[in-house]
Amino acid sequence: MVDASLSRPPVRRAPVETAARVRLRRTLELTGRVLSDPTTVIGLVIIILMLAMALLAPVITTPNVPDPYQMPRDWGAVRMPPLTEGHLLGTTNNGGDVLYGVIWGARTSLYLSLLVVSITVVVGTIIGSIAGFLGGRFDNVLMRIVDVFLSIPELIFALAIAAVLGPSFANIVLALAVTFWVKYARIMRAQIIRVKQNDYVDAARVIGDSKLRIYFKDILPNSITPVMVQATMDMGHVVLVGATLAFIGLSEAGIAEWGVLVSEGQAGISSGRWWASTFPGLMVFLWALAFNLVGDGLRDALDPRTEGR
Amino acid sequence: MLTNLEEHDAIVRAPDVIASVRDLKIHFRGKRGMVHAVDGISFDIRDGETLGLVGETGCGKSVTARAFLRLVQTPPGVYAGGSITFRPRRVCDDCSGVGCRECDGTGRVAAHCPACGGKGCRTCGGTGEETVDLLSIPDAQMRALRGNRIAMIFQDPGKALNPGLTVRDQISEVFLQHRTAEILAAAGVSPNDVLLRRQASQKSRAFEKMLLAVPPLRSGRNRVDAALDTMVADALAQTQIPNPRKVMDRYPHELSGGMRQRVMIAQALACNPDLLIADEPTTALDVTVQARILELIRELQQRHKTAVLYISHDLSLVRRVCDRVMVMYAGRVAETATSQQLFRRPTHPYTRGLLGALPGRGAHRGRLAAIDGTVPELVDPPAACRFVGRCPDEVAACSRTDPPMVEIEPEHAAACFVHAPPGKAAATRPVRTP
Amino acid sequence: MQIRDYILRRLMVLPLLIIGTSIIVFVLTRVGGSPIGIYLSHEMGPEQVQQIRERFHLDDPLPVQYFYWAQGVLSGDFGWSGVSAAPVTAVFPSKLAATMELAIASGIVAVVLGIWMGTVAGARRNKWPDHVIRVVSIAGASLPLFWFAIVLLIVFWVHLGWFPIGRSDPVIFDSIAHPTGFYTIDALIALSPRAFWDAIWHLILPAIALGYGATAIVARMMRSSLVEELQEDYVEAARAKGLPERLVLKRHARRNALIPTVTVIGLTFGFLLQGTVVAEIIFRWPGLGRWMADAVLRGDQATIMAYVMFASILFLFVNLVVDVVYAYLDRRVVLGE
Amino acid sequence: MTAEVRGLGRSARLLGGAAMVALLLGGPALAQQNSGVLVHAADDEPTTLDPAQVEPGEGGETVILQVYERLLEFAPDKPELIPALATDVPSLDNKLISADGLTYTFPIRQGVKFHDGTDLTAQDVKFSWDRVLEMDLPEGNAGALKDIVAETKVVDDHTFQVTLKQPTATFLNGAVVAMVASVVSEDAVKANGGVAAGQPNTFMQTNMVGTGPYKFKIWNRGENLQLDKNDTYWGTPAHLPVRIEIGSDPDVRVLGLRAGEFDMIETDPTFIPDLEGADGVDIYQEGLLLEPIHIGLNLNIPEGSLPPGDTIPVDFFHDPRIRQAFNYAFDYGAFLNGPLAGFGAFNPHYIPQGIFGYDASAPVYAAQDKAKAEALFKETGYWDKGFTVSIITEEANLFAAASLILKDSLEKLNPKFRVNVLSVAEAVFDEAHAENPMKYAMWSKNADPAADPHAYLMAYVHPDGDWGEVHGFAKGYRDPKKVADLIDQGGVELDPAKRAAIYAELTRLLFDDPMWIIAAQEGVTMAYRDWVKGFVMQPLWPRPSLKFALMNK
């Protein structure tokens, strides 16, 4: 009816904000909302500790020479319990220092997750954008390929690829990248199709902006959010799946990686040598947990429907 | 339940009042403080009348309406004070609800106060009628009133009907909750049949349902179902739905908006309630359908002499439908009057603004007068007129204290220092009842 | 669109997806290297190696090799499983039954427990049960199965001795016939309470380990969709009718909240399926997952191919069923969107 | 009966947590479980049960050893020949070996019945051997007979005769006792597919009709394989039926043994420390396996085929000084004390301890000598240049550990040295390993066991032998001809003293000219519950050579 004035009284004009200010204000608001959730804060704290551990690894430990990503193996002190001198968390079957493995494992995990997530986000975003933005036959073909990729459970797919490539850290990265990009392509495509229908995109088109400019100015910034949420969660998920592959036996020999350490250490648990797999397993758990908590918090903060949860 | 003698007085003075709201305060716990959504309002609803409750979005009118059914979610809501007294009626003995002379055709008669047996006491304010405080009765008692004595029609029937249940399932729930004895009687089943009685009151558990599917017991169940179907069909027929037996089997998404609202109305009126709360019942409908639905509500209301609390932001509509109007602004009552009075002599500047915003009232076509500014935030508001800042006529006093309700003429009161100054008119004492 | 047309259309796409999957997996596995290793032993001379290369058409171009593979598959020959030393088809059925039994048991645990937890959490939003369940379910999504399973094994098998390991007590297992391959069902058919108990006894630990993560997924979905449903108008309308809270929750909100939850069951199934690989390794469960893990470690490509194909077909099929059920349950959904 | 006892055990276990805890905290020992059956947790699932198809060292051999018999067997606890289906061990003394060393005569035991009830005759033996020669499956061990046997002959129903191509010192120790020489029932084979050249027999892959103390019962793939007692066995009958649990991970086997669900487990020494001191668990740790763990050095690398990153020239290992330097650099102590947990022995050269010709006085590489390694690397100029080399190995086992120790040893010696350990899937390794020429500079595995030194030397030392040819040893030996001559002489020398002298000379020669890094000779370890009586084993193949028939509990 004509009584719109009643249900929504006209707003007295507020001082005009620049786009940059709006963005800054929104970011601040978002940060506030994210930080208001205690579990998210716990997640953030864990992440910060993990990152600190990963980045400071060469400082807080003596890097193994020549390859610091290899466990330092003290063959004369195998299977030492925690609190042994020089081996705070004990040693593995191969005399590897568990503490070193835990710390450098964080670095390996950071390396793994950053590599996989950045590759998959970039590839997935580009492919999803092209599909969503151009549409038509190209979109069709790409999405059928995506469908095929999505028709295999991800761990099984990654397992098959890693198995064929052979056990190595690089191959785990590759296998995960091949498996994970699909999600982003799909999210991005759906977002672009949604955002494309907005009036401001039409407006930009009417003004005569070039397609590329419209994409970078109007579409990309407005569709990237779910991708970022997914990426946050995947920072944890990648490590979880990667460690699983490593546990099954697809990583490199002697590398300081949590999954490998759990796998090596499980042999001794029955004899009371719990430390070699407990600590690294716990790290995988905490790592994945932290990113899940933050991703969850981020998603809730960004999703108006779950406000006030 | 009632603690204040003064409150009794109000009810004593107006025996035809069915519900009475006194100094109702409903707050919401927000991140930045208490939001005073409803901040001390008082009014009465008289038996059989239609009271319009008008105001813009967020003024507290929907919250007020939900308070009658105690549907405000707590938390975050808080019933911060005040009372809502209500006099539930019972089914007329002489006509068992059909409507006779004894009950003036409504099928309902006053219920005796359980405390004094009708002699009149403090609990019932001397009326001898059962009187309850809706905000303090136990949950079970509240549930017995909901849908039975007080019913509600929601704004969007598309959302207020469960998409996963058929029309039959949804309407029959009302009967199952409140009319178990009648169902059993209609089905010719003894009220002592525990299994069927539990079925007819929606208490059956999974294993009982399985039992009832077994042949010897199934016939009883089928009879109950058949009786229920008849009641549902009758309720739907009341709303002039063609082919009620067919509509019953439909899911809400298979019906048009108007049909859905009819179903909603049938559901609300199924138990012949004393008070119907209609929360913008036509807002979500097409203009053409709106008129018919309004007509239907009006007709049913007159036939059953049901009191209606009609909530709307649409003044022109309110004028057509309501006997009396109450204008709310930011959790407070701004003005109350009969419909005629309000449109003839709007007193509160906010009411005037609202009327000015209506098309076709002095303004040129296409130019609607707008009220400047926005509704104030209701977080821990100071003692002052809420309209301060938007009011064209404000004076110094407006920002210092709350303006009291002042009677301007009979049935007409407003809260404004400027246009209804306390102590100026003959009836200058603050009034509670309009 | 009618549900029937929708199913038909989906069924028509299904073979294309399966062929697409097989091509991608085939190419990826062959690009990584020749599958010959599993057939070799170091005593073989070059002529013998060449003989084997020819036997498996390994010198032909990739599309031709794929053609041979596909031809074999169509005639029921999935190749020779090096790790089992038998044709894939010979060992597949019994392993399939073992894996499905485990996956279904875990699935039941996950669905029942997940829905219950989600309901409790959603209905008591922001109260302590909600917080507890939220922590439990987020932990479930982050817990490495390989670690959790080991911990369970240590506590309940080694230290407490409450549960056994493996799938069965071989003596009891051999004492009954196995028409279906599902131990529990076979035990019921054989009317052997002893065997049935043995089956359940062995199932509990792996089903818990495997089911936990899935429970978390279901519980989270259930909670959020219940919370969403509880904010719908019809819930308030139901209360306004005078319904007790129990009915409002069960008959109105939960029923509708279950619908979106159905969709995650497809996802959950994929999760369970991939989890069997790890769980079966650790619990010594003689199923397809272990078979796959063995094949992976020994580079047995025929087995890997067969397993991946199986997994994707099953996954696709389950998702199809879920979509159809979803479409059927939720009358608001527009098919084909 | 069995199950009832088991069920009882369970309810007893369920009786109460407190009782359980008490039990754990050093209460009475675990009650014996699985009574009436011997439960053995094996490492490997068989791929086939057919002696003609089984690959040496493969899981099927454990089963074949129990169900089939051969003309001669090794004694249960040492590599000494004893009569089995033949009633006598042929020798020159008892004239069962002809004077020219070419004809062996085996008197066949009378009254032996196959599990299907038919009688054993010399014809069955001939059929069994001929069958192997005719099928000649690439995956099987047909070569063990084919390379030696010229003709088989049935003299009479209970006399079997074999003519060799040339006198062969290893015939009895290497061929007659091999699983491939098992005697199968002619009737059973002919009734089920017969013999076809180059084609596996599907019946024999999954069924067994032998003469041994055990009858094949059932094989639940991936789970277990069960054997029944043969009540009509000609010799001492078995005490208990056997269930072989297959396919569990090493740690699960360890856990199962501790929980008492397994009576004995196959385990490598890594797990022994876990079990030492465990209640009710005994460990067999005598003797050494006759399969030295070695690292192969490739002298025959095709140009440009090394993995990316490798900087060594293809003729890197042609220089004996490099090979010596590698041998000096390897940290033997670490390997023995770490992965082997002390179970094993340094093994200097290719005649392992326990084999004729082992020379305890010969010089050995048994300790890391960094100074000598450094000096040798400096001499060759690689000390300053540095190098990167890859070593390929199967993942997560002793061979991988040996590779890691080599890596650590060299990298700690000089940071310019880099060793990349490529731990790959078994199939990948097998493929790389089977290729000729091989595309990797180094690899790690263990040797195939044998009972005679000549077999080792031909396989691993002779320039024209198996590996000598593949790895191009001729390009690297200081004097390849001399090595070849010494080995050839040793192979035909029938006088033990002279033969020992030849091997002593060879051993010293090989110390200066090593072709392998031999990490250690692994100790034989088995763990079993103390309620198992009569546990014995011997260190030769098949590993583990357990005669279940002798055990009881």
Side-chain angles (χ1 to χ4, degrees), chain B residues 205-329:
Chain B
R205 298 286 175 157
F207 70 93
E208 292 175 65
K209 285 181 188 149
M210 280 190 267
L211 267 182
L212 284 169
V214 179
L217 297 169
R218 203 157 64 185
S219 66
R221 187 197 70 177
N222 288 344
R223 263 182 297 159
V224 169
D225 284 347
L228 201 53
D229 282 358
T230 312
M231 292 168 88
V232 172
D234 287 350
L236 283 172
Q238 291 247 329
T239 62
Q240 296 151 16
I241 284 180
N243 254 329
R245 292 257 174 196
K246 257 190 184 163
V247 172
M248 271 162 58
D249 290 326
R250 294 282 165 79
Y251 286 91
H253 71 275
E254 296 170 323
L255 303 174
S256 69
M259 286 287 267
R260 282 183 218 155
Q261 196 57 294
R262 279 170 205 266
V263 170
M264 201 70 226
I265 292 168
Q267 179 174 286
L269 295 178
C271 287
N272 194 5
D274 309 322
L275 173 61
L276 177 67
I277 293 162
D279 186 2
E280 311 211 19
T282 59
T283 311
L285 301 177
D286 285 350
V287 183
T288 47
V289 184
Q290 277 188 355
R292 266 182 269 152
I293 293 293
L294 275 180
E295 202 50 50
L296 176 69
I297 294 176
R298 188 139 189 87
E299 189 203 316
L300 289 171
Q301 186 238 348
Q302 277 166 3
R303 192 193 306 164
H304 294 285
K305 299 202 167 57
T306 312
V308 177
L309 178 62
Y310 194 98
I311 295 155
S312 179
H313 58 255
D314 184 350
L315 273 175
S316 55
L317 209 142
V318 165
R319 185 184 189 182
R320 269 164 60 197
V321 178
C322 301
D323 304 317
R324 291 192 304 126
V325 183
M326 180 167 86
V327 179
M328 277 185 79
Y329 181 76

Side-chain angles (χ1 to χ4, degrees), chain C residues 301-328:
Chain C
Q301 290 196 5
T303 305
I304 295 175
M305 269 306 281
Y307 181 79
V308 173
M309 288 314 297
F310 151 76
S312 71
I313 290 173
L314 191 65
F315 191 53
L316 282 171
F317 185 73
V318 167
N319 274 310
L320 171 65
V321 170
V322 162
D323 283 358
V324 169
V325 169
Y326 178 68
Y328 180 77

Side-chain angles (χ1 to χ4, degrees), chain D residues 101-349:
Chain D
L102 283 177
T103 307
Y104 286 66
T105 306
F106 296 93
I108 304 296
R109 196 174 293 277
Q110 306 213 3
V112 175
K113 281 192 188 307
F114 281 105
H115 299 149
D116 61 0
T118 56
D119 288 317
L120 168 83
T121 64
Q123 175 55 32
D124 285 304
V125 180
K126 178 179 162 55
F127 174 80
S128 302
W129 286 41
D130 291 351
R131 172 173 172 270
V132 170
L133 298 174
E134 188 179 345
M135 288 166 82
D136 192 17
L137 296 169
E139 59 268 41
N141 192 19
L145 297 178
K146 198 174 131 188
D147 298 346
I148 300 172
V149 174
E151 196 197 354
T152 58
K153 199 166 95 188
V154 173
V155 177
D156 60 49
D157 257 11
H158 292 284
T159 311
F160 173 64
Q161 208 171 63
V162 181
T163 312
L164 306 188
K165 291 178 178 166
Q166 69 217 25
T168 310
T170 63
F171 174 62
L172 293 180
N173 277 326
V176 177
V177 294
M179 290 305 114
V180 75
S182 297
V183 178
V184 303
S185 159
E186 179 175 9
D187 296 347
V189 174
K190 285 198 166 149
N192 296 288
V195 180
Q199 288 297 318
N201 180 320
T202 51
F203 173 80
M204 292 293 283
Q205 281 174 346
T206 54
N207 289 280
M208 307 177 89
V209 182
T211 57
Y214 282 109
K215 290 192 286 193
F216 172 74
K217 185 179 172 196
I218 190 170
W219 179 12
N220 299 311
R221 280 183 197 273
E223 279 189 89
N224 60 56
L225 194 150
Q226 297 175 35
L227 303 178
D228 263 347
K229 289 192 285 180
N230 175 12
D231 294 326
T232 59
Y233 184 54
W234 59 266
T236 321
H239 293 287
L240 291 170
V242 170
R243 190 171 79 231
I244 300 172
E245 292 281 332
I246 34 194
S248 52
D249 291 334
D251 58 306
V252 171
R253 294 199 293 271
V254 170
L255 294 176
L257 184 74
R258 291 172 70 94
E261 294 197 6
F262 302 147
D263 293 322
M264 61 192 109
I265 61 169
E266 291 174 28
T267 174
D268 61 46
T270 317
F271 292 92
I272 295 301
D274 295 353
L275 287 164
E276 273 175 333
D279 246 4
V281 173
D282 283 351
I283 295 163
Y284 173 89
Q285 53 190 57
E286 293 149 51
L288 298 167
L289 284 178
L290 299 177
E291 40 186 311
I293 295 169
H294 57 204
I295 291 170
L297 310 174
N298 191 357
L299 283 66
N300 196 20
I301 309 164
E303 194 70 56
S305 68
L306 287 174
D310 278 15
T311 59
I312 56 159
V314 290
D315 61 357
F316 188 58
F317 288 120
H318 290 195
D319 188 338
R321 291 171 301 176
I322 301 262
R323 300 196 302 269
Q324 277 180 297
F326 270 64
N327 267 295
Y328 278 122
F330 187 83
D331 189 346
Y332 298 89
F335 187 66
L336 187 59
N337 294 319
L340 291 182
F343 297 99
F346 301 124
N347 180 37
H349 45 67

Side-chain angles (χ1 to χ4, degrees), chain A residues 69-88:
Chain A
Y69 286 96
Q70 278 278 325
M71 294 286 285
R73 284 173 289 271
D74 181 353
W75 294 98
V78 295
R79 297 181 276 267
M80 287 294 172
L83 302 179
T84 309
E85 206 189 326
H87 302 292
L88 193 61

Side-chain angles (χ1 to χ4, degrees), chain C residues 218-232:
Chain C
V218 174
R220 256 156 77 130
M221 186 66 194
M222 186 65 198
R223 178 192 177 275
S224 70
S225 69
L226 187 68
V227 164
E228 217 160 276
E229 292 296 328
L230 281 172
Q231 284 163 350
E232 292 285 329

